[in-house]
Amino acid sequence: MDISDDGQRLDTQWDDVNNNVCGVVQDCRDAAPVAATFVRAGWSSRSSSWYGYEVEASWGQIELDPMETREVLLNGVIDPERLDDLAGLLSRFGLRFTLELYDDSGDLVREIQT
């Protein structure tokens, strides 16, 4: 996986927000192709562990970690109004996924599943 510094940094208004998005990309054993999807959409990417990646744009910062179940765990912070944009990005590249958006209290606000 190519690491890319080309994307924008997370907007500072999201610096103090707790993780508000989590999900799973299905039928994907490795996080690298998922990170590459974000890079093709203009996000930056960097290695965050042996097998994980952190992807970032001005409206989101997301950790991608492979699981033993042929899925990639996705969690981080996004602008809540951009959940559909995140879902569209994953859909555009043919990925099957589930996304959950939470509010500041940790209550589920919305779920998208393909």
Side-chain angles (χ1 to χ4, degrees), residues 62-104:
I62 298 171
E63 288 283 335
L64 303 169
D65 292 299
M67 300 169 54
E68 293 182 16
T69 57
R70 291 191 40 90
E71 297 173 316
V72 172
L73 179 65
L74 175 154
N75 70 79
V77 174
I78 65 164
D79 175 346
E81 295 185 12
R82 304 287 302 260
L83 183 66
D84 287 329
D85 294 331
L86 178 58
L89 182 154
L90 296 171
S91 293
R92 189 169 55 245
F93 289 100
L95 299 172
R96 291 185 45 235
F97 61 90
T98 299
L99 294 174
E100 296 176 347
L101 179 68
Y102 293 87
D103 64 16
D104 293 337

Side-chain angles (χ1 to χ4, degrees), residues 2-81:
D2 290 330
I3 304 299
S4 169
D5 292 326
D6 292 338
Q8 299 176 0
R9 297 259 322 130
L10 182 67
D11 191 302
T12 57
Q13 72 177 338
W14 306 114
D15 283 349
D16 296 326
V17 174
N18 292 326
N19 283 5
N20 65 356
V21 68
C22 68
V24 173
V25 177
Q26 300 155 346
D27 302 323
C28 199
R29 172 158 267 167
D30 186 358
V34 180
T37 296
F38 282 88
V39 169
R40 285 192 300 274
W43 291 53
S44 65
S45 172
R46 61 188 150 273
S47 178
S48 61
S49 68
W50 284 104
Y51 302 106
Y53 293 87
E54 180 182 79
V55 293
E56 185 174 34
S58 62
W59 54 273
Q61 185 178 63
I62 298 171
E63 288 283 335
L64 303 169
D65 292 299
M67 300 169 54
E68 293 182 16
T69 57
R70 291 191 40 90
E71 297 173 316
V72 172
L73 179 65
L74 175 154
N75 70 79
V77 174
I78 65 164
D79 175 346
E81 295 185 12

